């Protein structure tokens, strides 16, 4: 892991992280990290965030990580409230786009707390900026690839999570819109939620013989693959998914997944922490409201 390498190098050099001054002349920010099913995301975000904070070598900037046990809105709101009560100057969060979260961000900003979102955005909430994937474009890329794998009247099963998450909704919207532009009919796709693991995927594939492809708009991928295998199709459906996790790499390498739309979580945390540092320490607002990470279409041959 990146963090372990940094720690080992620091120990060899006798380096000690800067200690915050005991006066009030410093700024403190917290990054709230939800518990993804795949810990790959947590590690990328935490490692890069702390490495960047340490690289700043500025005792006037203190970054605290707060791991969350779940991805629920309720825990996020409680964590935000706790951090604000503790006196933080900035919050970096991933959140559902709900009225409750929007109200919490607006209240935090009114109290003088700078809020930056990453991965999942909450537009029109008063947050300073957002760092994440161009979700609609990612969905459109997936649709463009899928349109080369199937032909009408073949259909696509879209597997997604909570559509209140911009990270899910944006991809689905971009995928459906682009598929229609490429000549597929409005009934060429159907959407299922992943909350029941792979069971819904298996049921959908068994019930509709026209489903020849699956688009995984979110993680976890393993549940979807389990559902596809449970359906026992004579021909494997084509699969396009997001995020090059270790699990996605394995399925791509073995030929179970056709393509992966990759993004960089490390870029998200890098831009978010850097923007927070510039704002809190220098009063410099970001030049852009939206920082989009790189998008890559990854094939088996690229591994």
């Amino acid at each position: 892991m990146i963090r372990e390498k940094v720690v080992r190098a620091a120990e060899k050099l006798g380096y000690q992280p800067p200690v915050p001054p005991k006066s009030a002349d410093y700024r403190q920010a917290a990054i709230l990290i939800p518990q993804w099913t795949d810990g790959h995301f947590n590690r990328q975000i935490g490692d890069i965030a702390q490495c960047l904070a340490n690289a700043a070598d500025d005792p006037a900037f203190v970054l605290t990580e707060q791991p969350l046990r779940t991805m629920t809105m309720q825990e996020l709101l409680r964590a935000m409230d706790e951090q604000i009560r503790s006196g933080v100057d900035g919050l970096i969060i991933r959140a559902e786009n709900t009225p409750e979260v929007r109200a919490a961000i607006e209240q935090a900003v009114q109290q003088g707390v700078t809020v930056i979102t990453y991965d999942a955005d909450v537009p029109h909430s008063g947050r300073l900026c957002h760092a994440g994937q161009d979700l609609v474009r990612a969905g459109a890329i997936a649709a463009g690839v899928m349109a080369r794998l199937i032909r009408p009247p073949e259909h696509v099963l879209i597997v997604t999570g909570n559509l209140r998450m911009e990270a899910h909704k944006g991809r689905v919207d971009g995928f459906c819109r682009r598929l229609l532009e490429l000549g597929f009919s409005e009934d060429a796709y159907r959407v299922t939620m992943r909350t029941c693991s792979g069971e819904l995927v298996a049921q959908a594939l068994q019930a509709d013989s026209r489903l020849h492809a699956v688009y995984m708009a979110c993680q976890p991928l393993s549940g979807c693959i389990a559902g596809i295998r449970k359906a026992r199709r004579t021909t494997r459906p084509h699969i396009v998914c997001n995020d090059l996790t270790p699990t996605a790499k394995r399925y791509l390498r073995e030929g179970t997944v056709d393509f992966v739309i990759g993004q960089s979580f490390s870029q998200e945390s890098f831009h978010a922490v850097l923007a927070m540092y510039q704002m809190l320490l220098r009063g410099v607002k970001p030049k852009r409201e939206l920082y989009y990470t790189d998008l890559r279409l990854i094939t088996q041959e690229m591994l």
Side-chain angles (χ1 to χ4, degrees), residues 100-150:
E100 295 86 352
V101 173
R102 193 176 304 110
I105 295 176
E106 290 172 350
Q107 183 177 1
V109 173
Q110 289 172 2
Q111 293 177 264
V113 177
T114 298
V115 179
I116 292 175
T117 60
Y118 69 95
D119 186 53
D121 195 15
V122 187
H124 315 298
S125 60
R127 56 99 174 102
L128 181 67
C129 65
H130 170 72
Q133 188 183 63
D134 186 336
L135 302 165
V136 174
R137 186 165 176 243
I141 291 172
V145 170
M146 195 66 83
R148 291 165 172 80
L149 299 175
I150 64 173

Side-chain angles (χ1 to χ4, degrees), residues 31-245:
I31 180 168
L32 308 186
I33 305 177
Q35 183 58 54
W36 274 273
T37 304
D38 192 322
H40 171 74
F41 302 119
N42 301 70
R43 291 190 295 272
Q44 279 202 42
I45 292 169
D47 288 342
I48 297 300
Q50 281 300 336
C51 285
L52 179 59
N54 291 338
D57 196 23
D58 192 336
F61 180 63
V62 179
L63 179 68
T64 302
E65 287 181 46
Q66 182 172 350
L68 305 181
R69 293 172 299 174
T70 66
M71 298 186 75
T72 63
M73 176 184 68
Q74 291 75 14
E75 186 181 8
L76 173 71
L77 294 176
R78 284 196 298 269
M80 289 177 64
D81 183 62
E82 290 171 3
Q83 290 291 343
I84 292 171
R85 288 176 182 274
S86 73
V88 295
D89 302 288
L91 283 171
I92 303 173
I93 65 171
R94 178 192 191 271
E96 295 179 24
N97 186 9
T98 65
E100 295 86 352
V101 173
R102 193 176 304 110
I105 295 176
E106 290 172 350
Q107 183 177 1
V109 173
Q110 289 172 2
Q111 293 177 264
V113 177
T114 298
V115 179
I116 292 175
T117 60
Y118 69 95
D119 186 53
D121 195 15
V122 187
H124 315 298
S125 60
R127 56 99 174 102
L128 181 67
C129 65
H130 170 72
Q133 188 183 63
D134 186 336
L135 302 165
V136 174
R137 186 165 176 243
I141 291 172
V145 170
M146 195 66 83
R148 291 165 172 80
L149 299 175
I150 64 173
R151 291 289 183 271
E154 296 173 341
H155 288 185
V156 180
L157 178 67
I158 303 171
V159 182
T160 185
N162 188 345
L163 289 178
R164 293 184 301 185
M165 280 286 183
E166 292 293 321
H168 301 163
K169 184 178 184 301
R171 288 171 179 166
V172 172
D173 289 348
F175 184 90
C176 296
R177 187 183 309 162
R178 183 58 181 156
L179 209 61
L180 295 177
E181 291 173 351
L182 292 172
F184 286 79
S185 63
E186 290 187 359
D187 68 347
Y189 58 84
R190 55 183 296 187
V191 180
T192 185
M193 306 292 281
R194 67 167 175 81
T195 49
C196 294
S197 67
E199 190 62 33
L200 287 179
V201 175
Q203 291 175 4
L205 291 175
Q206 290 168 347
D208 188 351
S209 61
R210 296 172 300 176
L211 289 172
H212 285 250
V214 177
Y215 171 50
M216 278 292 298
C218 67
Q219 297 293 329
L221 180 60
S222 296
C224 176
I225 300 297
I228 291 172
R229 289 172 175 169
K230 185 176 181 179
R232 297 185 181 279
R233 285 287 192 88
T234 54
T235 303
R236 176 185 67 81
H238 295 291
I239 302 174
V240 177
C241 69
N242 285 278
D243 304 322
L244 191 63
T245 65

Side-chain angles (χ1 to χ4, degrees), residues 10-32:
E11 289 174 348
K12 289 181 181 179
L13 295 172
Y15 171 81
Q16 294 294 326
V19 178
K22 296 187 181 297
S23 69
D25 191 24
Y26 69 95
R27 296 292 179 266
Q28 184 171 358
I31 180 168
L32 308 186

